[in-house]
Amino acid sequence: MASVTVRNVVKKYGDLQVVHGLNLGIEDGSFVVLLGPSGCGKSTLLRMIAGLEPITAGEVLIAERVVNAVHPKDRNIAMVFQNYALYAHMTVYDNMAFALDLRGTPKDEIKRKVDWAASVLNLGDYLERYPRQLSGGQRQRVAMGRAIVRNPEVFLFDEPLSNLDAKLRVQMRTEIKELHQRLKTTTVYVTHDQIEAMTMADVIVIMRAGVIEQKGAPLDVYDNPANLFVAEFIGSPAMNLIEGVAEAGNGGPAMRTKGGALLPLSSRFKVAPGRKLTLGIRPEHLTIGETGDIATEVSVVEPTGPEIHIYCDFEGKDVCAITRERGSWRHGAKVGLTPDPERMHLFDPESGRALEKA
Amino acid sequence: MEQSFAARTLRDLAAVLIVAIFMFPIFWWSLSSIKPYSAIFNKDGPVYFDFEPTALNYKVTLLGRSRVESALESGGTYGAGGASSYDSRQTILDSTLVAVGSTGLTILLATLAAYALSRMAMRGKQHFIFWILSQRFMPPLAIVIPIMFMFRDMSLLDSRLGLIIAHTLINLPLAVLLLKSFFDDVPKDVDEAAMIDGATRIQTFRRVVLPMVRGGVAATAVLCFIFSWTEFLLSLYLTTSIRTLPVKISTFVTSTGTEWGFITALGTSAIVPSFIFILLVQRHLVRGLTLGSLKE
């Protein structure tokens, strides 16, 4: 096990700079998820840690040792790829034994380790099969088995679940998390799926366009997004964003929307009247009723089972509210939405940064 | 959609007909090889099955018997022909050595080159690949004389090694391009996984990627073998005493007549080694060898 440190790392392809001086400390034994839309540089960062991609500038340290010039095979890492990258001409056993065999491990020790990995991953019955004879989930487990037999210091996962169907993905998510709790190996996991990130991570790192937008514990990031990008990116359905101007209301600060609705703000926000604001409110913090601060009409109703997502039209934009009440919401019905002032987020529309609460 | 009986029958009939058309020359060739002289040169038209089969042609070409001796033994007649040797045992050996040698050398060089072209970044790679292909644009006739002079200076004329090198030169461009496309089908992730597992580049090539493209290697080897086995021009110019089968067979057209019996016998025999070679590699010629490596 080892810590991973990324210091001022820059990646350029020719003149195109895709990673802009990243700094990231990954603690020994932690499960860190790199999350971001495609093209944000998360996979590139992972591949630089793995040694598959040269680093243009900066340093990557594994276990306090600078590894910029160290070949992947000497970094003591293991990686699981999105498309598994199994050796098709080898049996499951040989796939897992390959790395040990290359290191000249004695045969009986290889057998012991592969058997151990197979029992951890429930692959015991499939050792003599070829990858083509396995299902998607089993192949993914072989890819993981190949990684764990070597007892590496760091696990790297590059979107390992995105090729699996939805049900299997949920199952494998739990399995990977259990595996981490059992082995306690430092793990860096890349995904664009925020549910995966939220459920598995100790620390989420949200990236966009080659920079880190926010880093923190999953719920911390969810509850206190640092900027508009993170606010919109994390959460499904996404956070509702309403633009307006601050006003001194009757009982405290308030915001006047473009369409003229007045929304009371939490008194913990200190905003000068006249300041332009973007208000963020998560769908679950909007109460839907017959009347409310926002008078609107229901446009779409999406029952998911545990809850109902109700999309309403407000000043030309969709606003989503989530309720657990079983009501008879219908398209076109007149409703009122009331945001919970204590769960509001305010952002500066220019910089996108979140405004501090007092 | 379920096909009607008539449509199925018609389709099968068409298939049989096409196969028959393509097989007929081979059939006629092998049939002629067991015909006595009188049946090959029948003035009343082609003879199909109305003849006494004879092994004379094979005895002469494959066992090195004298033609007169064999003919007298079987009590048949024999045709014209000078004193040239029809014993082709050495020719078959030479042809086999050259074809196997050049195929082996081509595959050895082409797999390495194709892997490098498929995996490694290189300035002007597309131009380089086109240049490789352009070597095939040239008709061999255009280069056979220069090659002859070069081979003379290097003492490669009239040697098996020289012919192996010449055939390898002709086969390389196509083999490299063909194999590159097979290597391109193996995802780079597999190489990277192997490298993280601790393999060097050459171990990755030998133990992981090459076994995954063995179907492609087999197909390429078949093409190279058949080319070398049937190549005429280079063999004719670059050798004098060592003769490959096509050149040897061409000497059966003599000033005093064409030895159809010997030509057909040796031609029929010449099918056998390439047939055996294809049989040997065909178990690798299965599709979907990389199946299971990836999520399809």
Side-chain angles (χ1 to χ4, degrees):
Chain A
M1 285 193 283
S3 64
V4 175
T5 311
V6 174
R7 259 189 222 148
N8 299 320
V9 162
V10 171
K11 176 70 192 177
K12 282 185 183 175
Y13 292 105
D15 292 333
L16 182 70
Q17 187 164 340
V18 293
V19 170
H20 308 275
L22 289 186
N23 284 291
L24 180 64
I26 295 168
E27 279 174 38
D28 186 3
S30 62
F31 196 116
V32 171
V33 173
L34 306 180
L35 176 67
S38 46
C40 71
K42 56 191 192 299
S43 282
T44 310
L45 177 60
L46 189 81
R47 290 169 58 82
M48 286 193 286
I49 295 173
L52 297 172
E53 205 75 63
I55 300 163
T56 313
E59 285 179 336
V60 170
L61 291 85
I62 297 175
E64 318 281 307
R65 177 174 70 124
V66 178
V67 293
N68 284 33
V70 177
H71 191 274
K73 72 187 171 72
D74 301 319
R75 294 190 182 199
N76 203 9
I77 48 162
M79 186 156 166
V80 177
F81 292 82
Q82 178 177 3
N83 56 16
Y84 322 142
L86 297 180
Y87 312 133
H89 61 293
M90 295 186 194
T91 61
V92 170
Y93 182 93
D94 290 336
N95 262 280
M96 294 201 272
F98 185 64
L100 299 171
D101 189 34
L102 285 172
R103 281 169 174 69
T105 313
K107 287 265 183 285
D108 52 332
E109 198 185 330
I110 293 180
K111 180 157 172 29
R112 198 169 49 74
K113 286 189 168 169
V114 171
D115 285 345
W116 167 79
S119 71
V120 168
L121 295 163
N122 287 323
L123 285 169
D125 296 340
Y126 306 103
L127 286 175
E128 295 314 313
R129 296 223 192 149
Y130 286 90
R132 61 177 173 275
Q133 298 164 318
L134 301 178
S135 70
Q138 288 165 340
R139 286 180 201 175
Q140 187 58 62
R141 280 206 284 270
V142 175
M144 277 162 49
R146 205 166 57 174
I148 66 172
V149 282
R150 286 195 285 129
N151 196 19
E153 291 189 319
V154 181
F155 276 136
L156 305 174
F157 288 91
D158 189 4
E159 308 207 12
L161 305 184
S162 45
N163 277 343
L164 300 176
D165 62 55
K167 199 173 172 189
L168 207 53
R169 202 179 305 165
V170 174
Q171 187 193 333
M172 290 302 291
R173 203 161 77 193
T174 319
E175 283 185 27
I176 292 177
K177 196 166 180 179
E178 271 175 5
L179 195 68
H180 177 254
Q181 283 162 359
R182 205 166 147 179
L183 305 175
K184 299 197 169 48
T185 307
T186 312
T187 303
V188 186
Y189 188 107
V190 162
T191 183
H192 61 257
D193 181 340
Q194 49 161 313
I195 304 290
E196 257 174 49
M198 291 294 290
T199 50
M200 298 168 88
D202 295 330
V203 174
I204 285 190
V205 176
I206 297 173
M207 294 180 63
R208 177 175 62 157
V211 295
I212 294 175
E213 294 281 350
Q214 192 173 0
K215 178 191 165 187
L219 288 179
D220 225 28
V221 172
Y222 186 82
D223 289 339
N224 303 300
N227 54 44
L228 275 172
F229 172 76
V230 176
E232 274 193 290
F233 190 75
I234 291 275
S236 174
M239 183 185 279
N240 300 301
L241 298 173
I242 301 167
E243 287 173 7
V245 179
E247 259 185 32
N250 306 337
M255 188 182 90
R256 179 76 64 183
T257 66
K258 279 181 186 165
L262 191 68
L263 304 175
L265 302 176
S266 162
S267 55
R268 287 157 64 201
F269 286 115
K270 301 283 175 260
V271 283
R275 180 174 183 179
K276 281 190 177 174
L277 295 172
T278 300
L279 173 94
I281 185 81
R282 294 216 177 268
E284 62 268 34
H285 301 139
L286 272 177
T287 316
I288 188 162
E290 293 192 353
T291 56
D293 294 343
I294 302 170
T296 174
E297 264 181 24
V298 173
S299 56
V300 178
V301 179
E302 290 179 346
T304 63
E307 53 202 25
I308 303 171
H309 300 173
I310 301 161
Y311 290 86
C312 303
D313 182 61
F314 178 65
E315 297 178 0
K317 276 169 84 177
D318 268 345
V319 171
C320 178
I322 293 178
T323 177
R324 290 179 159 268
E325 304 298 321
R326 295 285 191 262
S328 56
W329 317 102
R330 261 180 235 297
H331 170 76
K334 300 258 184 250
V335 290
L337 302 173
T338 311
D340 176 353
E342 294 310 310
R343 311 304 288 265
M344 282 179 180
H345 307 270
L346 287 184
F347 301 93
D348 179 62
E350 300 286 319
S351 67
R353 284 180 198 285
L355 302 186
E356 299 275 327
K357 283 181 200 169
Chain B
M1 198 181 75
E2 197 67 17
Q3 277 178 315
S4 70
F5 176 75
R8 273 204 316 270
T9 315
L10 209 64
R11 191 189 60 197
D12 293 352
L13 214 65
V16 167
L17 199 70
I18 289 166
V19 171
I21 289 171
F22 279 97
M23 291 301 287
F24 184 77
I26 298 173
F27 160 76
W28 190 247
W29 210 240
S30 29
L31 191 71
S32 299
S33 71
I34 53 168
K35 284 180 189 170
Y37 227 84
S38 55
I40 294 176
F41 292 105
N42 187 18
K43 64 181 168 50
D44 302 326
V47 176
Y48 284 89
F49 299 107
D50 186 21
F51 63 85
E52 241 348 89
T54 169
L56 179 137
N57 296 322
Y58 288 96
K59 278 182 184 164
V60 172
T61 50
L62 299 183
L63 298 177
R65 306 287 279 277
S66 129
R67 191 210 346 224
V68 180
E69 189 189 336
S70 305
L72 289 177
E73 222 170 68
S74 55
T77 53
Y78 51 89
S84 62
S85 168
Y86 296 101
D87 179 5
S88 305
R89 285 176 296 183
Q90 186 60 39
T91 302
I92 290 170
L93 181 69
D94 287 341
S95 257
T96 308
L97 287 175
V98 168
V100 170
S102 76
T103 303
L105 189 60
T106 306
I107 294 299
L108 180 74
L109 296 174
T111 47
L112 289 165
Y115 180 64
L117 282 173
S118 166
R119 290 301 194 264
M120 290 174 187
M122 173 181 146
R123 194 180 285 270
K125 186 154 88 177
Q126 283 312 311
H127 299 290
F128 185 66
I129 290 169
F130 181 77
W131 177 76
I132 292 176
L133 182 66
S134 71
Q135 301 307 297
R136 248 344 247 274
F137 295 173
M138 220 167 357
L141 192 61
I143 51 165
V144 67
I145 305 294
I147 285 185
M148 214 170 109
F149 283 113
M150 285 182 343
F151 274 28
R152 188 194 60 194
D153 295 344
M154 293 188 284
S155 311
L156 286 172
L157 272 188
D158 199 26
S159 70
R160 293 191 198 98
L161 181 65
L163 210 49
I164 286 173
I165 291 173
H167 284 178
T168 303
L169 287 178
I170 302 291
N171 268 332
L172 260 181
L174 205 65
V176 168
L177 290 180
L178 207 58
L179 285 168
K180 179 182 174 294
S181 73
F182 286 109
F183 281 120
D184 287 345
D185 285 346
V186 178
K188 276 188 179 174
D189 288 356
V190 172
D191 295 52
E192 292 175 345
M195 268 191 259
I196 287 178
D197 267 353
T200 59
R201 191 50 106 162
I202 200 76
Q203 281 174 322
T204 304
F205 170 73
R206 203 176 54 79
R207 295 188 56 177
V208 175
V209 184
L210 194 59
M212 284 170 84
V213 298
R214 64 173 192 266
V217 172
T220 312
V222 166
L223 286 180
C224 292
F225 185 92
I226 290 174
F227 169 82
S228 178
W229 191 251
T230 56
E231 200 281 330
F232 177 73
L233 193 74
L234 287 164
S235 312
L236 180 69
Y237 276 82
L238 300 178
T239 57
T240 45
S241 63
I242 296 163
R243 310 258 71 162
T244 59
L245 279 165
V247 179
K248 179 76 176 179
I249 290 174
S250 74
T251 65
F252 292 179
V253 181
T254 69
S255 53
T256 49
T258 301
E259 294 291 352
W260 284 113
F262 302 151
I263 289 178
T264 52
L266 195 53
T268 306
S269 319
I271 295 173
V272 176
S274 46
F275 192 70
I276 291 172
F277 183 79
I278 292 168
L279 272 186
L280 285 178
V281 296
Q282 75 151 8
R283 66 190 182 91
H284 300 296
L285 287 176
V286 283
R287 286 179 59 202
L289 270 173
T290 54
L291 204 72
S293 170
L294 296 177
K295 166 92 180 177
E296 337 15 83

